[in-house]
Amino acid sequence: MAKGIRDKVAILGMGCSKFGERWDCEAEDLMVEAFEEGLADAGVDKNQINAAWLSTAIEDVHVGKSGVPLAVALRLPYIPVTRVENYCASGSEAFRGAVYAVASGAADIALALGVEKLKDTGYGGLPQRGRGVLNSMVNANGSAPGNFAQLAAAYRAKHGVSREDMKRAMAHISVKSHDNGSRNPKAHLQSKITEEQVLNAPMVAEPLGLFDCCGVSDGAACAIVTTPEIAKSMGKKNIVTVKALQLSVSNGIEAQHNSWDGSYFMTARVAAKRAYEEAGIKNPREQISLMEVHDCFSVTELVTMEDLYISPEGGAIKDVLDGFYDHDGKLPCQIDGGLKCFGHPIGSSGLRMLYEMYLQMQGRAGARQRKEQPVFGMTHNLGGAPNMNVCSVAIVGLEGA
Amino acid sequence: MVGIVAYGGYVPRLRLARKAIVEANAWSNAALKGGGKDERAICNWDEDALTMAVEAARDCLQPAERGQLKAVYLASTTLPFQDRLNSGVAAEALNLGDNLETLDITSSQRAGTSGLIAAARTAAAGGGPLLFLTAEKRRTRAASPQELSYGDGGAALLLDKGPGIAELVAHESKAVDFVDHYRGDGRPYDYTWEERWIRDEGYNKIVPPVVKALLDKAKVKGADVTHFILPCTIARVAAGIAKKLGMPDSAVRDNLASAMGEAGTAHPLVMLVHTLQDAKPGDKIVVASFGQGCDALLFEVKPEIAKLAPRLGIKGFLARRKPETNYNKFIAWNQVVDQEKGMRAELDKQTALTTLYRKSGMLTGLLGGKCTKCGTLQYPKSKICVNPNCNAMHSQEDQPFADMPARILSYTADLLTYSPDPPQHYGMVQFEDGGRLMADFTDVDVGKVDAGMPMRMVFRVKEYDPARGFTKYFWKATPAAGASAG
């Protein structure tokens, strides 16, 4: 394996818009909102940015294609701007582009910005969209919740879990994320909920009820990255560096080959292993301090705890119900509310996860700040469906950790 | 000499209680009140004449028998395409190859029997084995008498030289432009004249001479007829004609009005299949039909019938029954009411005909791939084998999946996605010999689906493109229980 990019790139500044139903905003307004914060945090001039990556996944309902919308919205000085898309992991993809540009020496300072403006469709949930000419003739008449809901049936069958126990663990995950979201002023959903509310909510896609699903939000987030040397030369303290950045993409085994049992993410396991190796982490359950995972649905978060090798296989339900992943637990997961409550503007989400890790590392997370100084923060950003997906795992930490 | 070699049937699983139709409509048409007994077969939203014909064909033919077919005829007045060979779609779905004679027969309630006579001539002349399919999905106005008396269903007959299980001994036809009802171009519903006139001047004057001529030609006495088939929604007409021709009362076949209703031009052959399921060697079966004249066919049942492999036939599919009491569902599915479908249903549904042609085996025939290097079955077929320990290139041959048993690996019941019949069930089904597919489910019961459940694949409507009038077909998974004779 290549030796990776551990400590080669530092986060110079980050920004994140308020997430939510931003009825009064265009995507361009959200981009500027995130960028203003990120630029001020980085303490650089816009003209020092050498290259930029824009991530959006459902661009046909807002900015359209290409890097142009970012360049125009921010009035970037005719630098290279590339639009990237990799399902719901697009934000991590923009980050990867910027980080690799810096790691390679092609850029001194690079920008990754993700945006999604979803609330212009006229209905709730993700926009209906074409899947491609052939796929539309073959794919099941599904939805995102329906695709992820299937994890539950397969997980129950594999581990002999009752419908009730499964539903209760999933409920705990959502209650925890709402609790966390209540301490986050930028979160889309800031109200606490009870387990009873979750269990009695209307069904969306069996067994996922309304509170098992994350919010569909408008929002933008960005990162400005550079080398640790440049960051230091600018007088930056508590520098947060990238320890690992991995991506794993399905090649059709899950969808076509009977070796996958439907209860977990093959990609996440591959990406996590590689990320731990790149970051030099031997025992993730002990060494990871904080996690932001792709909790698009409660059941996704549940199985991901095992895919990231934090909970033992078949042990996620126990850890969840024991409060291991609560904000005051051993390893808080979604301390900012996660996709569930911070919200899920698709192209921004990977960057939003990193934003939280960055704030927590620097002790700037306000009411939701973890007391113990985090050492390694991990983000897990997934896109697609369990049987066909892309999974990004990133690990950041203070320089020298 | 020509005969029926095998038969198959199909009746949709849903049976709408006629009481539900009467309760919804008797306020506006009091004459319906007497018709609230029993039930009629209705297509699920994703069934039509073509899908029913394919299911009847699958009931009729073992997969191994399909390679030898020389012709496929399809008779129906409710085909999904006015100009696209419907029998050709059925042949593609059944993976019959392209070295075939195909023909659609339509425009009359006699299409089924007249088509069968033409098919028998073809088979007798060496054009067999010939697969004769017929099916009808009948559209009716709300509160019409036809809504009560009509039903949906189909039948399949395999014809070839020789006596088979039932030899066609003789046939007789007469053409009379007697318009008891008609359906003009572009009109969804039948326009029907007075029932008493249809009975007295139509059935009772046109049918008996034709059947008599048939019996005379075959030198068979009325008293020797074992089974008399004459579909008619008017009470006691068939029995009256049988009596007039000297047939025993016991010969008059149940017209299945109480179990499924009348399946239009398919109904004589639906009743024939139903009859063959009761028949014994030596039985003489008269099949008569009425529609701008009359056709009559005489079959003699042969000893070979005892050797026919088990199949569901009409009886088996009648037993595979799901009662439905929601009339609103029926009228919504049949576009009788203008139902709000929500914005999610607005997505454009255009079909790329280039892609459909390139991938017709994959899409219409559910053909996947089998790797000749490692043996891995996979859907769809691809240039590089999916088996991570193989990944051989250009190694796959066609592998049919439609008839392979499968089980549910994962599933959901989805209320978010647009479906004509929510919740939309779908999930990963895993085939017995390898391969899997994330498939829509159909004909499932809410709350009775779980991982591990045995499933079989069925050819169904995937969606309808209302902007262009194009019906898209694909394969779905349905519970195997009750859906196979094995």
Side-chain angles (χ1 to χ4, degrees), chain B residues 339-362:
Chain B
Q339 189 192 28
E340 171 62 53
K341 297 181 175 69
M343 292 167 91
R344 290 180 183 280
E346 292 172 10
L347 194 72
D348 192 274
K349 296 177 171 68
Q350 188 191 46
T351 295
L353 299 177
T354 37
T355 312
L356 178 63
Y357 178 62
R358 250 189 340 260
K359 297 287 183 187
S360 63
M362 169 189 169

PDB file of all heavy atoms in Angstrom, chain B residues 339-362:
ATOM      1  N   GLN B 339     -57.201  10.102 -10.407  1.00  0.00           N
ATOM      2  CA  GLN B 339     -56.644  10.042  -9.057  1.00  0.00           C
ATOM      3  C   GLN B 339     -55.409  10.930  -8.925  1.00  0.00           C
ATOM      4  O   GLN B 339     -54.562  10.959  -9.823  1.00  0.00           O
ATOM      5  CB  GLN B 339     -56.255   8.587  -8.773  1.00  0.00           C
ATOM      6  CG  GLN B 339     -55.873   8.320  -7.339  1.00  0.00           C
ATOM      7  CD  GLN B 339     -55.218   6.945  -7.188  1.00  0.00           C
ATOM      8  OE1 GLN B 339     -54.603   6.420  -8.104  1.00  0.00           O
ATOM      9  NE2 GLN B 339     -55.334   6.374  -6.013  1.00  0.00           N
ATOM     10  N   GLU B 340     -55.289  11.635  -7.792  1.00  0.00           N
ATOM     11  CA  GLU B 340     -54.079  12.404  -7.489  1.00  0.00           C
ATOM     12  C   GLU B 340     -52.960  11.424  -7.151  1.00  0.00           C
ATOM     13  O   GLU B 340     -53.104  10.613  -6.245  1.00  0.00           O
ATOM     14  CB  GLU B 340     -54.348  13.336  -6.296  1.00  0.00           C
ATOM     15  CG  GLU B 340     -53.118  14.034  -5.755  1.00  0.00           C
ATOM     16  CD  GLU B 340     -52.449  14.954  -6.780  1.00  0.00           C
ATOM     17  OE1 GLU B 340     -53.130  15.800  -7.345  1.00  0.00           O
ATOM     18  OE2 GLU B 340     -51.226  14.801  -7.003  1.00  0.00           O
ATOM     19  N   LYS B 341     -51.883  11.491  -7.874  1.00  0.00           N
ATOM     20  CA  LYS B 341     -50.796  10.541  -7.651  1.00  0.00           C
ATOM     21  C   LYS B 341     -49.614  11.175  -6.941  1.00  0.00           C
ATOM     22  O   LYS B 341     -48.668  10.481  -6.579  1.00  0.00           O
ATOM     23  CB  LYS B 341     -50.350   9.954  -8.991  1.00  0.00           C
ATOM     24  CG  LYS B 341     -51.452   9.157  -9.689  1.00  0.00           C
ATOM     25  CD  LYS B 341     -50.958   8.563 -10.996  1.00  0.00           C
ATOM     26  CE  LYS B 341     -52.002   7.665 -11.643  1.00  0.00           C
ATOM     27  NZ  LYS B 341     -53.163   8.399 -12.159  1.00  0.00           N
ATOM     28  N   GLY B 342     -49.645  12.474  -6.764  1.00  0.00           N
ATOM     29  CA  GLY B 342     -48.546  13.150  -6.087  1.00  0.00           C
ATOM     30  C   GLY B 342     -47.450  13.533  -7.068  1.00  0.00           C
ATOM     31  O   GLY B 342     -47.341  12.995  -8.164  1.00  0.00           O
ATOM     32  N   MET B 343     -46.615  14.485  -6.643  1.00  0.00           N
ATOM     33  CA  MET B 343     -45.590  15.019  -7.549  1.00  0.00           C
ATOM     34  C   MET B 343     -44.523  13.993  -7.905  1.00  0.00           C
ATOM     35  O   MET B 343     -43.895  14.089  -8.955  1.00  0.00           O
ATOM     36  CB  MET B 343     -44.946  16.256  -6.924  1.00  0.00           C
ATOM     37  CG  MET B 343     -45.915  17.431  -6.848  1.00  0.00           C
ATOM     38  SD  MET B 343     -45.291  18.749  -5.800  1.00  0.00           S
ATOM     39  CE  MET B 343     -44.436  19.733  -7.000  1.00  0.00           C
ATOM     40  N   ARG B 344     -44.322  13.014  -7.022  1.00  0.00           N
ATOM     41  CA  ARG B 344     -43.309  11.998  -7.320  1.00  0.00           C
ATOM     42  C   ARG B 344     -43.659  11.178  -8.565  1.00  0.00           C
ATOM     43  O   ARG B 344     -42.800  10.552  -9.161  1.00  0.00           O
ATOM     44  CB  ARG B 344     -43.141  11.052  -6.124  1.00  0.00           C
ATOM     45  CG  ARG B 344     -42.485  11.719  -4.967  1.00  0.00           C
ATOM     46  CD  ARG B 344     -42.322  10.807  -3.778  1.00  0.00           C
ATOM     47  NE  ARG B 344     -41.734  11.574  -2.708  1.00  0.00           N
ATOM     48  CZ  ARG B 344     -40.447  11.847  -2.616  1.00  0.00           C
ATOM     49  NH1 ARG B 344     -39.618  11.360  -3.498  1.00  0.00           N
ATOM     50  NH2 ARG B 344     -39.970  12.583  -1.642  1.00  0.00           N
ATOM     51  N   ALA B 345     -44.951  11.170  -8.904  1.00  0.00           N
ATOM     52  CA  ALA B 345     -45.373  10.393 -10.075  1.00  0.00           C
ATOM     53  C   ALA B 345     -45.155  11.161 -11.370  1.00  0.00           C
ATOM     54  O   ALA B 345     -45.400  10.639 -12.448  1.00  0.00           O
ATOM     55  CB  ALA B 345     -46.845  10.010  -9.930  1.00  0.00           C
ATOM     56  N   GLU B 346     -44.681  12.412 -11.257  1.00  0.00           N
ATOM     57  CA  GLU B 346     -44.576  13.249 -12.456  1.00  0.00           C
ATOM     58  C   GLU B 346     -43.304  13.021 -13.263  1.00  0.00           C
ATOM     59  O   GLU B 346     -43.161  13.545 -14.365  1.00  0.00           O
ATOM     60  CB  GLU B 346     -44.660  14.736 -12.059  1.00  0.00           C
ATOM     61  CG  GLU B 346     -46.034  15.134 -11.551  1.00  0.00           C
ATOM     62  CD  GLU B 346     -46.045  16.547 -10.979  1.00  0.00           C
ATOM     63  OE1 GLU B 346     -45.050  17.281 -11.140  1.00  0.00           O
ATOM     64  OE2 GLU B 346     -47.055  16.908 -10.356  1.00  0.00           O
ATOM     65  N   LEU B 347     -42.396  12.251 -12.734  1.00  0.00           N
ATOM     66  CA  LEU B 347     -41.123  12.027 -13.421  1.00  0.00           C
ATOM     67  C   LEU B 347     -41.360  11.456 -14.822  1.00  0.00           C
ATOM     68  O   LEU B 347     -42.182  10.569 -14.998  1.00  0.00           O
ATOM     69  CB  LEU B 347     -40.283  11.034 -12.605  1.00  0.00           C
ATOM     70  CG  LEU B 347     -38.810  10.919 -12.982  1.00  0.00           C
ATOM     71  CD1 LEU B 347     -38.043  12.155 -12.551  1.00  0.00           C
ATOM     72  CD2 LEU B 347     -38.194   9.683 -12.338  1.00  0.00           C
ATOM     73  N   ASP B 348     -40.635  11.980 -15.775  1.00  0.00           N
ATOM     74  CA  ASP B 348     -40.807  11.512 -17.158  1.00  0.00           C
ATOM     75  C   ASP B 348     -40.423  10.039 -17.270  1.00  0.00           C
ATOM     76  O   ASP B 348     -39.446   9.588 -16.691  1.00  0.00           O
ATOM     77  CB  ASP B 348     -39.944  12.349 -18.100  1.00  0.00           C
ATOM     78  CG  ASP B 348     -40.328  12.081 -19.550  1.00  0.00           C
ATOM     79  OD1 ASP B 348     -39.799  11.121 -20.140  1.00  0.00           O
ATOM     80  OD2 ASP B 348     -41.172  12.814 -20.054  1.00  0.00           O
ATOM     81  N   LYS B 349     -41.219   9.299 -18.042  1.00  0.00           N
ATOM     82  CA  LYS B 349     -41.023   7.848 -18.112  1.00  0.00           C
ATOM     83  C   LYS B 349     -40.688   7.380 -19.523  1.00  0.00           C
ATOM     84  O   LYS B 349     -40.999   6.259 -19.904  1.00  0.00           O
ATOM     85  CB  LYS B 349     -42.290   7.144 -17.613  1.00  0.00           C
ATOM     86  CG  LYS B 349     -42.582   7.434 -16.144  1.00  0.00           C
ATOM     87  CD  LYS B 349     -43.878   6.778 -15.693  1.00  0.00           C
ATOM     88  CE  LYS B 349     -44.072   6.877 -14.200  1.00  0.00           C
ATOM     89  NZ  LYS B 349     -44.306   8.251 -13.749  1.00  0.00           N
ATOM     90  N   GLN B 350     -40.066   8.224 -20.295  1.00  0.00           N
ATOM     91  CA  GLN B 350     -39.734   7.841 -21.675  1.00  0.00           C
ATOM     92  C   GLN B 350     -38.838   6.602 -21.700  1.00  0.00           C
ATOM     93  O   GLN B 350     -37.961   6.432 -20.849  1.00  0.00           O
ATOM     94  CB  GLN B 350     -39.005   8.988 -22.373  1.00  0.00           C
ATOM     95  CG  GLN B 350     -38.809   8.718 -23.861  1.00  0.00           C
ATOM     96  CD  GLN B 350     -37.856   9.718 -24.486  1.00  0.00           C
ATOM     97  OE1 GLN B 350     -36.804  10.028 -23.961  1.00  0.00           O
ATOM     98  NE2 GLN B 350     -38.255  10.251 -25.625  1.00  0.00           N
ATOM     99  N   THR B 351     -39.082   5.735 -22.659  1.00  0.00           N
ATOM    100  CA  THR B 351     -38.237   4.558 -22.867  1.00  0.00           C
ATOM    101  C   THR B 351     -37.334   4.795 -24.074  1.00  0.00           C
ATOM    102  O   THR B 351     -37.822   5.179 -25.134  1.00  0.00           O
ATOM    103  CB  THR B 351     -39.119   3.322 -23.135  1.00  0.00           C
ATOM    104  OG1 THR B 351     -39.872   3.046 -21.955  1.00  0.00           O
ATOM    105  CG2 THR B 351     -38.276   2.105 -23.478  1.00  0.00           C
ATOM    106  N   ALA B 352     -36.049   4.552 -23.875  1.00  0.00           N
ATOM    107  CA  ALA B 352     -35.124   4.638 -25.007  1.00  0.00           C
ATOM    108  C   ALA B 352     -35.250   3.333 -25.788  1.00  0.00           C
ATOM    109  O   ALA B 352     -34.843   2.268 -25.319  1.00  0.00           O
ATOM    110  CB  ALA B 352     -33.698   4.843 -24.509  1.00  0.00           C
ATOM    111  N   LEU B 353     -35.833   3.416 -26.970  1.00  0.00           N
ATOM    112  CA  LEU B 353     -36.104   2.195 -27.732  1.00  0.00           C
ATOM    113  C   LEU B 353     -34.817   1.538 -28.227  1.00  0.00           C
ATOM    114  O   LEU B 353     -34.773   0.322 -28.421  1.00  0.00           O
ATOM    115  CB  LEU B 353     -37.051   2.511 -28.898  1.00  0.00           C
ATOM    116  CG  LEU B 353     -38.421   3.053 -28.453  1.00  0.00           C
ATOM    117  CD1 LEU B 353     -39.269   3.419 -29.659  1.00  0.00           C
ATOM    118  CD2 LEU B 353     -39.162   2.050 -27.574  1.00  0.00           C
ATOM    119  N   THR B 354     -33.783   2.341 -28.400  1.00  0.00           N
ATOM    120  CA  THR B 354     -32.471   1.781 -28.762  1.00  0.00           C
ATOM    121  C   THR B 354     -31.975   0.855 -27.656  1.00  0.00           C
ATOM    122  O   THR B 354     -31.537  -0.264 -27.899  1.00  0.00           O
ATOM    123  CB  THR B 354     -31.473   2.922 -28.965  1.00  0.00           C
ATOM    124  OG1 THR B 354     -31.735   3.945 -28.004  1.00  0.00           O
ATOM    125  CG2 THR B 354     -31.602   3.520 -30.362  1.00  0.00           C
ATOM    126  N   THR B 355     -32.080   1.340 -26.415  1.00  0.00           N
ATOM    127  CA  THR B 355     -31.631   0.543 -25.268  1.00  0.00           C
ATOM    128  C   THR B 355     -32.501  -0.700 -25.108  1.00  0.00           C
ATOM    129  O   THR B 355     -31.998  -1.800 -24.860  1.00  0.00           O
ATOM    130  CB  THR B 355     -31.694   1.387 -23.975  1.00  0.00           C
ATOM    131  OG1 THR B 355     -31.080   2.645 -24.224  1.00  0.00           O
ATOM    132  CG2 THR B 355     -31.007   0.696 -22.822  1.00  0.00           C
ATOM    133  N   LEU B 356     -33.818  -0.496 -25.262  1.00  0.00           N
ATOM    134  CA  LEU B 356     -34.748  -1.621 -25.130  1.00  0.00           C
ATOM    135  C   LEU B 356     -34.389  -2.724 -26.131  1.00  0.00           C
ATOM    136  O   LEU B 356     -34.436  -3.918 -25.805  1.00  0.00           O
ATOM    137  CB  LEU B 356     -36.181  -1.138 -25.362  1.00  0.00           C
ATOM    138  CG  LEU B 356     -37.271  -2.220 -25.315  1.00  0.00           C
ATOM    139  CD1 LEU B 356     -37.355  -2.859 -23.935  1.00  0.00           C
ATOM    140  CD2 LEU B 356     -38.629  -1.630 -25.683  1.00  0.00           C
ATOM    141  N   TYR B 357     -34.005  -2.334 -27.329  1.00  0.00           N
ATOM    142  CA  TYR B 357     -33.652  -3.321 -28.354  1.00  0.00           C
ATOM    143  C   TYR B 357     -32.320  -3.999 -28.022  1.00  0.00           C
ATOM    144  O   TYR B 357     -32.205  -5.226 -28.068  1.00  0.00           O
ATOM    145  CB  TYR B 357     -33.589  -2.651 -29.729  1.00  0.00           C
ATOM    146  CG  TYR B 357     -33.190  -3.599 -30.836  1.00  0.00           C
ATOM    147  CD1 TYR B 357     -33.984  -4.705 -31.147  1.00  0.00           C
ATOM    148  CD2 TYR B 357     -32.010  -3.407 -31.544  1.00  0.00           C
ATOM    149  CE1 TYR B 357     -33.612  -5.585 -32.141  1.00  0.00           C
ATOM    150  CE2 TYR B 357     -31.634  -4.291 -32.544  1.00  0.00           C
ATOM    151  CZ  TYR B 357     -32.432  -5.372 -32.839  1.00  0.00           C
ATOM    152  OH  TYR B 357     -32.059  -6.252 -33.816  1.00  0.00           O
ATOM    153  N   ARG B 358     -31.337  -3.175 -27.657  1.00  0.00           N
ATOM    154  CA  ARG B 358     -30.015  -3.738 -27.333  1.00  0.00           C
ATOM    155  C   ARG B 358     -30.097  -4.730 -26.185  1.00  0.00           C
ATOM    156  O   ARG B 358     -29.411  -5.731 -26.152  1.00  0.00           O
ATOM    157  CB  ARG B 358     -29.086  -2.597 -26.921  1.00  0.00           C
ATOM    158  CG  ARG B 358     -28.008  -2.283 -27.874  1.00  0.00           C
ATOM    159  CD  ARG B 358     -26.961  -1.305 -27.376  1.00  0.00           C
ATOM    160  NE  ARG B 358     -27.286  -0.447 -26.276  1.00  0.00           N
ATOM    161  CZ  ARG B 358     -27.656   0.836 -26.394  1.00  0.00           C
ATOM    162  NH1 ARG B 358     -27.789   1.395 -27.583  1.00  0.00           N
ATOM    163  NH2 ARG B 358     -27.912   1.553 -25.319  1.00  0.00           N
ATOM    164  N   LYS B 359     -30.956  -4.400 -25.216  1.00  0.00           N
ATOM    165  CA  LYS B 359     -31.009  -5.178 -23.973  1.00  0.00           C
ATOM    166  C   LYS B 359     -32.298  -5.979 -23.876  1.00  0.00           C
ATOM    167  O   LYS B 359     -32.773  -6.251 -22.767  1.00  0.00           O
ATOM    168  CB  LYS B 359     -30.896  -4.229 -22.776  1.00  0.00           C
ATOM    169  CG  LYS B 359     -29.582  -3.469 -22.718  1.00  0.00           C
ATOM    170  CD  LYS B 359     -28.457  -4.391 -22.297  1.00  0.00           C
ATOM    171  CE  LYS B 359     -27.147  -3.657 -22.146  1.00  0.00           C
ATOM    172  NZ  LYS B 359     -26.032  -4.581 -21.892  1.00  0.00           N
ATOM    173  N   SER B 360     -32.888  -6.350 -25.002  1.00  0.00           N
ATOM    174  CA  SER B 360     -34.208  -6.984 -24.925  1.00  0.00           C
ATOM    175  C   SER B 360     -34.153  -8.318 -24.181  1.00  0.00           C
ATOM    176  O   SER B 360     -35.064  -8.647 -23.429  1.00  0.00           O
ATOM    177  CB  SER B 360     -34.804  -7.152 -26.320  1.00  0.00           C
ATOM    178  OG  SER B 360     -33.986  -8.015 -27.076  1.00  0.00           O
ATOM    179  N   GLY B 361     -33.085  -9.072 -24.354  1.00  0.00           N
ATOM    180  CA  GLY B 361     -32.962 -10.332 -23.620  1.00  0.00           C
ATOM    181  C   GLY B 361     -32.922 -10.094 -22.124  1.00  0.00           C
ATOM    182  O   GLY B 361     -33.615 -10.742 -21.341  1.00  0.00           O
ATOM    183  N   MET B 362     -32.126  -9.124 -21.719  1.00  0.00           N
ATOM    184  CA  MET B 362     -31.985  -8.782 -20.300  1.00  0.00           C
ATOM    185  C   MET B 362     -33.299  -8.261 -19.722  1.00  0.00           C
ATOM    186  O   MET B 362     -33.708  -8.636 -18.627  1.00  0.00           O
ATOM    187  CB  MET B 362     -30.889  -7.717 -20.169  1.00  0.00           C
ATOM    188  CG  MET B 362     -30.793  -7.061 -18.822  1.00  0.00           C
ATOM    189  SD  MET B 362     -29.633  -5.651 -18.896  1.00  0.00           S
ATOM    190  CE  MET B 362     -29.972  -4.876 -17.311  1.00  0.00           C
TER     191      MET B 362
END
